[in-house]
Amino acid sequence: MNDKVFTKPIKKHFEFDEEVAAVFDDMLKRSVPFYGESQKITKFFALKSIKEESIVYDLGSSTASLLISIAKDLAVDARLIGLDNSEAMLEQARKKAQAFGVSIELENADILEYDYKDADLFISNFTLQFIRPLVREELVKKIYDSLKSDGIFIFSEKVISHHSKLNKDLIECYYDYKKEQGYSEYEIVQKREALENVLVPYSEDENIKMAKNCGFKHCEVIFRWANFATFIAIK
Ligand SMILES: C[S@@+](CC[C@H](N)C(=O)[O-])C[C@H]1O[C@@H](n2cnc3c(N)ncnc32)[C@H](O)[C@@H]1O
Ligand SMILES: O=C(O)C(=O)C[C@]1(C(=O)O)C=C[C@@H](O)C=C1
């Protein structure tokens, strides 16, 4: 289904509710530049780190597009676990996983509270930005503590620049992209307002610093387009 969520006046902050979940795949394809590429590069590094009996967590797995894609190409027996606290997203995810005939585990859980088992890989694409800054680093520390030695954490985020002119231009560049994808000026403004204080992006440097503060010995960007970036952090 096509994303028309912000064509009408908004009454509330952005939520991952039924209305959003029903159009989410279209929304991401048209709202995250090179979404397909960031997913491909995530999958490339994921497949390298998954071993026999590995546990893999995808935090904020939404409609499970990434885990389904990984499951299709996985040559070993591993547990792919998607966590999300939106039942509407999980319903979409379960339907898709069944249609593709893949074996993934999907759980309704708060990623801040979850009791993680020792894992070889954590993934969290476009989700940390929705976690309150006050507890975001705590979550990344929890991820670090739950990773086996040499485990990796791949995450993608919308990013800002602390150079105000560059930041303004990056946002303009992104809105041009959205217009090219068929979103109207009205939809763009409405969504920006709905996301205010809900999606709180960090800069590339702040994300790397956060990962290093939590103990990761290495963290760098493996893909970036304007204000969207994919990071890899190595324990
Ligand atoms: C932008 S979406 C993630 C997109 C997805 N990873 C992908 O690449 O297609 C963010 C997801 O995180 C989930 N989420 C946000 N806060 C959460 C929390 N505290 N616990 C679990 N899931 C959460 C939302 O329900 C939503 O499905
Ligand atoms: O549309 C925007 O402004 C976005 O920031 C895109 C974005 C994201 O980056 O997570 C925001 C909300 C939805 O989850 C889908 C995509």
Side-chain angles (χ1 to χ4, degrees):
M1 267 215 297
N2 288 346
D3 167 23
K4 295 201 166 48
V5 175
F6 295 98
T7 51
K8 52 188 187 308
I10 48 155
K11 292 178 215 80
K12 55 172 191 178
H13 286 303
F14 187 85
E15 270 178 38
F16 295 99
D17 57 14
E18 268 173 47
E19 191 186 11
V20 167
V23 299
F24 193 69
D25 289 355
D26 179 58
M27 178 184 276
L28 272 241
K29 214 169 2 154
R30 291 164 60 218
S31 306
V32 176
F34 293 97
Y35 174 68
E37 288 304 317
S38 68
Q39 202 168 81
K40 263 203 245 169
I41 203 163
T42 301
K43 177 172 161 177
F44 174 83
F45 286 100
L47 288 174
K48 280 191 168 296
S49 76
I50 306 176
K51 310 175 196 67
E52 201 66 46
E53 289 182 17
S54 280
I55 291 183
V56 176
Y57 289 106
D58 184 10
L59 311 188
S61 48
S62 297
T63 64
S65 304
L66 179 67
L67 286 185
I68 292 170
S69 170
I70 292 175
K72 282 201 237 166
D73 286 345
L74 197 61
V76 295
D77 200 13
R79 287 180 65 186
L80 306 181
I81 306 169
L83 305 179
D84 208 289
N85 64 357
S86 159
E87 194 47 43
M89 285 290 189
L90 289 161
E91 262 172 47
Q92 297 288 335
R94 288 188 199 108
K95 274 192 245 166
K96 274 168 60 179
Q98 200 178 15
F100 283 105
V102 294
S103 159
I104 59 174
E105 299 169 45
L106 296 163
E107 285 185 50
N108 188 334
D110 183 345
I111 57 175
L112 293 162
E113 304 294 330
Y114 195 77
D115 191 12
Y116 298 101
K117 296 194 170 66
D118 289 351
D120 284 299
L121 168 68
F122 275 81
I123 301 166
S124 193
N125 281 346
F126 313 106
T127 299
L128 291 183
Q129 59 195 16
F130 289 102
I131 300 299
R132 279 177 297 128
L134 219 59
V135 291
R136 201 177 295 178
E137 190 163 315
E138 239 170 80
L139 172 62
V140 176
K141 180 74 171 77
K142 203 167 161 168
I143 293 169
Y144 176 84
D145 289 339
S146 308
L147 273 171
K148 292 187 182 168
S149 51
D150 296 328
I152 67 167
F153 176 36
I154 304 171
F155 59 103
S156 300
E157 291 279 289
K158 192 177 192 177
V159 293
I160 52 162
S161 168
H162 287 299
H163 186 286
S164 59
K165 164 84 169 67
L166 179 57
N167 196 48
K168 206 169 144 281
D169 291 347
L170 286 170
I171 292 168
E172 186 185 323
C173 179
Y174 175 51
Y175 289 166
D176 281 354
Y177 163 84
K178 281 189 141 185
K179 283 178 210 153
E180 278 168 23
Q181 297 299 312
Y183 288 116
S184 67
E185 196 91 47
Y186 182 72
E187 286 174 284
I188 293 171
V189 170
Q190 292 258 101
K191 191 171 183 192
R192 190 186 66 207
E193 284 171 10
L195 285 170
E196 195 95 31
N197 298 322
V198 175
L199 190 169
V200 183
Y202 289 175
S203 67
E204 180 178 319
D205 286 350
E206 284 162 344
N207 275 295
I208 292 175
K209 205 185 252 174
M210 174 174 64
K212 291 199 169 156
N213 279 348
C214 293
F216 284 99
K217 63 173 183 274
H218 191 83
C219 180
E220 69 179 270
V221 165
I222 49 174
F223 184 72
R224 179 167 173 168
W225 178 89
N227 58 340
F228 284 83
T230 300
F231 301 78
I232 187 162
I234 304 168
K235 186 161 178 172

